[in-house]
Amino acid sequence: MGLAMDQHYRPKEIEEKWQKIWEDQNLFKVTEDLERPKYYLLEMFPYPSGKIHMGHVRNYSIGDVIARYKRMRGFNVLHPMGWDAFGMPAENAAIEHGVHPAKWTYENIRTMKNQLKRMGFSYDWDREFATCDVSYYKWEQLFFIKMFEKGLAYKKRSFVNWCEICKTVLANEQVMSDGTCWRGHADDPGVTQKELDQWFFKITDYAEELLKWCDQLPGWPERVLTMQRNWIGKSVGAEIHFPLEHSKEVIKVFTTRQDTVFGATFMSLAPEHPLALSLSKGTAQEEAVKAFVERMKRQDKMKRTAETTEKEGVFTGAYCLNPMTKARMPIFVANFVLMDYGTGAVMAVPTHDQRDFEFAKKYGLPLIVVVQPEGQTLKAETMTEAYEGEGILINSGPFNGMDSIKARERIANYLEENGLGGSRISYRLRDWGISRQRYWGAPIPIIYCERCGTVPVPEKDLPVVLPFNVEITGRGESPLAGLEEFVKTSCPRCGGPGRRETDTMDTFVESSWYFDRFACPDYDQGPLDRKRVDYWMPVDQYIGGIEHAILHLLYSRFFTRVLKEMGWVNVEEPFTNLLTQGMVCKEVYECSRDGYLFPSEVEERENGIRCQKCGGQVSIGRLEKMSKSKKNVVDPEYLVEKYGADTARMFCLFASPPEKDLDWSDQGVEGSARFLNRVWRLFYELHHPLQAVKPLAFGTSLDGDQKSLRQKTHKTIKKVTEDIERFHFNTAISAIMELVNEIYTSPIRDQTDEISRRVIREAIETVVILLSPFVPHFAEELWEALGNQQSILKTRWPDYDPEAILEDEVLIVIQVNGKLRDRMTIPVSYGEEEVKAWALRSERIRRLVEGKEIKRVILVPKKLVNIVC
RNA sequence: GCCGGGGUGGCGAAAUUGGAAUACGCGCGAGACUUAGGAUCUCGUGGUCGAAAGACUGUGCGGGUUCAAAUCCCGCCCUCGGCACCA
């Protein structure tokens, strides 16, 4: 039976219709409601770069399923959206196209907001804000001042990471492991070191707590926690003081192997260590040290600290004393010692550290074995590499014969008692450098006064508004520095002339507390309305890309601790559960001559896939994250135009589980579209309308095909509910597909008796409700066609009828010695002995066990019988 | 080197607690409907052997535990990600 013209699935029409209804009725607006349990669902807010991409569609589709599902389950769901709006690209647009960053940003926001609405995501748009709004960043300036007062924000001169493309400083977290900028520039020359006066947040004060609380986040993926733990990099060891010869001064070192201190035969200093130059002064080594330090300074830091770089150094001409043995230890400057880890000085134990071993061999320095491995006798003269394992101490005075692990504790205590150092803990984590030499960011609220020094802008003078009239050239220092009317001010303390700080804050500062602000975006008495923040925080479910595993997620945890200490919030950790979704990937076409190609630029010939431009061989198949530069993007707008938002959402959710990378497939999208059309047709091709049909009551008893369809319906409710709860959206959708297939092939599909119609109605209604979090417009339309007056959003998520899913009969697998040999369908009511007897009665089984002794018969109820013989 | 994730059909994937390996979808094959099909519907689809019934085999590799292993244990290989001359 054909469909009437108006009964074809037309996504564009129904999507526009329902988006308007949702908006007109304000259906996603929420306020605090103590009657219902709250659920704060948050997806990482986007940077308004221009248009949304598939990564956004995937991220927000996942979030929307949960938001809609939780609402139907009776939760008071906060599902906000806003804009991470400060940052580099806006400034680059200004440089390239002469458009003001503010104009560019707000226009992009308008475009992207429309695109998000077009996808049908259920946000409470009343809470929307952009971090470049003065009403947002002024509170961030207040936080900065409070942190400054507590010593958590401080300025220091140091070597910092400099990105020549961004023309600004980067935090350590923003430098990738290959030494490039986190923004991923096409031709990144690599981050270099620059000595500058910079503002820092004292995240290192929180290293231990941030590490400790990694164990209190069971709702976070293990790999993210591992990355954070690695990044914090805790080492337990000791500090040891080595007195300088002919001086009262000491060189302090940090070591994790204080048990090997008796074997320390020389000392290595970082080239940047202040003692490097001062110790050699006046000695014959002075010139050599100067030259070495200069050479190291010029060398690229990445290269210098690479593991493969040969160890080299230079003698300073000075000596220190081993505090345990009093032995004279020559002091070297060495390329492998880092100034920013530990103390910048390393005691060298060549017998038990491979680097020191290589260094000692190169410069002819003495070796003393102090740890003897169990069952072996190490001799310094014959060693070819350092022994870094545990063992029994020798040549170690009072500690001889002691186990090296135990000796670490004893020696640390000895150091402490004798004023020579003691137990210490060292972290790899460095303070967060937040100064950026850029215009499009929140101004750092600081004034420099010749008389009073560094003075914070008083609270009453906030905000320090980012001036609008500024020339952005992309050359030189921060654009604000050239703006005299901004820079010139008076000192809030003495009234004398003052100059403003012209650096702006790292945009990661804005994203470190936006989730709190969503609880009270309109609040103007302070940054946060404690009452509302306490109601909503913490975020129950946070969803975003794995690329923020350290960056944003660590900063936010730090910021939350600071805000809690200051009494602005009352939570220890901001995000209870974290879901890190995978990337959206697509194959790239690459021509050896013309580089990356669009699919439209290649053609298939007999001799393989060729480049249309040069005719050369094109390599394909490699899956990479969608990016404009790789020419493998799919524009969501095109998808929505061609298939509708529901199909696009459906594909993202069905193709793979959320944590995994999603491999783009045009045919897969077709498949999703086909499924929705199939449901649509099923609905309209029925021989009888369903509007007037009443649903079945719980506990209704049925027989035959009616019973089995009802059973499938309720089993599907159970399965889909469980799958959504554990974020297995792909299997939830496949379960709904199974139900649809079952309805299609059910013999009662077109029967017109009352009960059949009610069973069919229940099955189809269930499909529509279960689909609603995934494809909301589609579901609304069919829901209405079923005769419902109210939006499907107002419907409660169904419960399954426990009676309906009960089976009368069950399929039992029969194994012989663990191998599948037969199956039988038997009534569930059968007892253990009965089932076993039935299994042994099977013709095939009898043949197989004939003449053999049956040793055991194992029964797994409702599953299988295994006959062992 | 250390830490973590992963390896299942031609492809995306499923198997929640040790109990039928490959659900669902894509692709492919056959058929139906049709003037036509790139629409739709039905059936088939891990491999080898076989006309078939069926047999053997099969979840990266090699062992082990168990009546029974994709799942647990031991040892490897590959791959992705993080950290790494970190003292």
Side-chain angles (χ1 to χ4, degrees), chain A residues 365-395:
Chain A
L365 296 158
L367 279 70
I368 305 170
V369 174
V370 291
V371 178
Q372 202 62 264
E374 197 101 30
Q376 272 184 65
T377 312
L378 285 181
K379 284 216 174 86
E381 311 82 67
T382 57
M383 283 175 88
T384 54
E385 58 177 7
Y387 172 71
E388 295 184 340
E390 307 294 342
I392 304 297
L393 263 59
I394 56 165
N395 297 325

Side-chain angles (χ1 to χ4, degrees), chain A residues 1 138 148 216 234 464 466 525 631 695 706 816 833 851:
Chain A
M1 180 182 178
K138 79 171 183 183
F148 176 78
Q216 309 289 318
K234 180 179 180 175
V464 177
L466 186 66
Q525 304 300 301
K631 296 191 176 179
Q706 293 175 341
V816 176
E833 292 312 313

